[in-house]
Amino acid sequence: MANNYLKLEFPSLPENVGLARAVVAAFAAHLEFTLAEIEEIRVAVSEAVSNCVIHAYPDKAGVIQLELSIHADILSIQVKDFGKGIIDIEQAKQATFSTDPERMGLGLVFMESFMNHLQIQSIPLQGTTVVMKKHPERGLADAGFSRSS
Amino acid sequence: MANNYLKLEFPSLPENVGLARAVVAAFAAHLEFTLAEIEEIRVAVSEAVSNCVIHAYPDKAGVIQLELSIHADILSIQVKDFGKGIIDIEQAKQATFSTDPERMGLGLVFMESFMNHLQIQSIPLQGTTVVMKKHPERGLADAGFSRSS
Amino acid sequence: MLIQTERVGANLIVTVEGELDLVTSPTFREVVDGKLNHYDAIKHLILDLKKVEFIDSSGLGVILGRFRRLNQLGGKISAIHVSDQIKRVLQLSGLLKVIEIYDDRHGALENSWR
Amino acid sequence: MLIQTERVGANLIVTVEGELDLVTSPTFREVVDGKLNHYDAIKHLILDLKKVEFIDSSGLGVILGRFRRLNQLGGKISAIHVSDQIKRVLQLSGLLKVIEIYDDRHGALENSWR
Ligand SMILES: Nc1ncnc2c1ncn2[C@@H]1O[C@H](COP(=O)(O)OP(=O)(O)O)[C@@H](O)[C@H]1O
Ligand SMILES: Nc1ncnc2c1ncn2[C@@H]1O[C@H](COP(=O)(O)OP(=O)(O)O)[C@@H](O)[C@H]1O
């Protein structure tokens, strides 16, 4: 499988969350993911992009950059915003921690559960970068890391 | 309908032609296109991106930039490469003109027929930019131009 | 997303079709809360998830919100036609502890009479 | 794309499923030319386009190429189960002038006996 990438940029409008899901699903189809794995990827991306829309840019739309790439059978997804930022990432990762009373604080939990790897970098008032990786479970033996569950 | 945009960048690998079609179809769904119109858009994009893969970068993969935007009910699609370029655009637009004996020379004809507007700029050895626009036929009366057939 | 509701005794059956996410969850909340405000008799919610193509934490959040509301009045939520994928997110979210799963409308209704 | 072939007398029935574009057209050409090379008896091609989800000029190009080859030997190409969308691109490309359209396999076979 040749290495491939896709870089996207779009405004943080709610309707672009579904678009991001569709793009990532189409791109991920280049690897041999099962349908269930593609579903997991769609959820993880939906959470990451929704967070940009809701938390990074609560007042008006800002720029979201989504970078997808495939190297050695591993799908990498980077979601970057230039918004509000997260003060305490470890706290944000706790289930049920949310700065929004209407929300469940499950987004980061889903990203962590559904992907093999999750890394978050954030600087308050400058923005947040989320990097997630996943490889097809079938090809597990060949890849450089095992499933974190 | 709020103005929206999507910028994409990807290498000129053949498998990305289908990806570009899927992304554009998902983005175009924000306007009230009929299924037949979405099909026409998919064909036009497929032709433009295929041309980058085949003609702009015949020897090795180069960069393709795809920019989609919606303003006042009009979908604009820009496909840009930094490849070989076209020496005579008017000649290239003729049906049956192709620099490749295995091809039909229909790509530009389809783009012109299926979209309301087509503009091509090219500088030999620097690259080609194709801009296409289309609006939902239902909303014709409101838009700034009529169908070119 | 398409959403349809039907009242059967003390139950509101809500059939959702499409994607339940950031964009569509507010509509789900408005439609369901509208019915709950209008019909005092409704105690239980039965969610028909057969045609749900996608659900993420935004969708689960509005379901939890409806559970909290009904639970205060002694009501409950059940879900029918739940795919493995959706069962998975329900479980991870903890919602599976409070939502009862049945195969179909018949099973869910039978249980709500108890 | 999935491609299936079946020989019925002097006809090769080719059923295509999926997208016929830059990526898949070479496969179409190889499979069909392989059959034509192998069976001298084949004179005509019947394309079943029922499950074709997309076709662009790359796909039309390989169809035209097969037409040229068969036409030299007095053979022809017909297409069955053609959607309006595909009819439209066939027409714009000029291929509708050389490809015969029938409702189904029955109609196409009947006409190839003439
Ligand atoms: N891109 C982001 N920008 C700013 N804050 C974020 C971002 N992503 C997550 N957060 C913070 O982390 C918290 C937890 O996020 P998450 O687990 O997705 O749950 P939820 O979105 O339901 O609150 C959010 O409430 C928010 O405060
Ligand atoms: N992006 C491009 N870069 C370089 N040349 C191009 C590009 N797009 C089109 N052309 C030239 O224009 C010709 C006509 O293009 P088109 O109508 O799409 O037909 P075809 O691709 O079948 O040749 C091509 O053969 C090629 O020489």
Side-chain angles (χ1 to χ4, degrees), chain A residues 72-74 135-147:
Chain A
D73 243 27
I74 296 171
H135 57 83
E137 202 65 23
R138 297 180 222 180
L140 184 64
D142 312 326
F145 47 74
S146 64
R147 183 168 184 95

Side-chain angles (χ1 to χ4, degrees), chain B residues 21 40 42 46-47 102, chain D residues 19 21 29 56-57 88:
Chain B
R21 283 198 299 268
E40 295 177 337
R42 290 177 75 213
S46 196
E47 301 295 349
E102 278 281 291
Chain D
E19 309 197 312
D21 70 353
R29 186 177 56 223
D56 65 7
S57 72
R88 178 96 184 279

Side-chain angles (χ1 to χ4, degrees), chain B residues 51-52 55-56 81 85-86 92 97-99 103-108 128:
Chain B
N51 279 348
C52 300
H55 301 299
D81 67 62
I86 304 175
F97 174 84
S98 176
T99 50
R103 299 186 57 77
M104 295 178 80
L106 278 174
L108 294 173
T128 303

Side-chain angles (χ1 to χ4, degrees), chain B residues 14-15 17 21 36 39-40 42-43 46-47 50 53-54 102-104 106-107 110 113-114 147, chain D residues 19 21-23 29 53-58 60-62 64 66 68 85 88-89 92-93 95:
Chain B
E15 62 259 40
V17 176
R21 283 198 299 268
E39 269 307 300
E40 295 177 337
R42 290 177 75 213
V43 173
S46 196
E47 301 295 349
S50 293
V53 175
I54 303 163
E102 278 281 291
R103 299 186 57 77
M104 295 178 80
L106 278 174
F110 280 179
S113 307
F114 288 155
R147 183 169 184 93
Chain D
E19 309 197 312
D21 70 353
L22 183 65
V23 174
R29 186 177 56 223
E53 284 154 18
F54 180 81
I55 189 164
D56 65 7
S57 72
S58 300
L60 298 173
V62 295
L64 181 66
R66 287 344 93 205
R68 288 195 177 127
Q85 179 61 27
R88 178 96 184 279
V89 297
L92 262 175
S93 68
L95 274 177

Side-chain angles (χ1 to χ4, degrees), chain A residues 21 40 42 46-47 102, chain C residues 19 21 29 56-57 88:
Chain A
R21 285 198 298 269
E40 295 177 338
R42 290 176 75 213
S46 196
E47 301 296 349
E102 278 282 289
Chain C
E19 309 197 311
D21 70 354
R29 187 177 54 223
D56 65 8
S57 73
R88 179 95 182 280

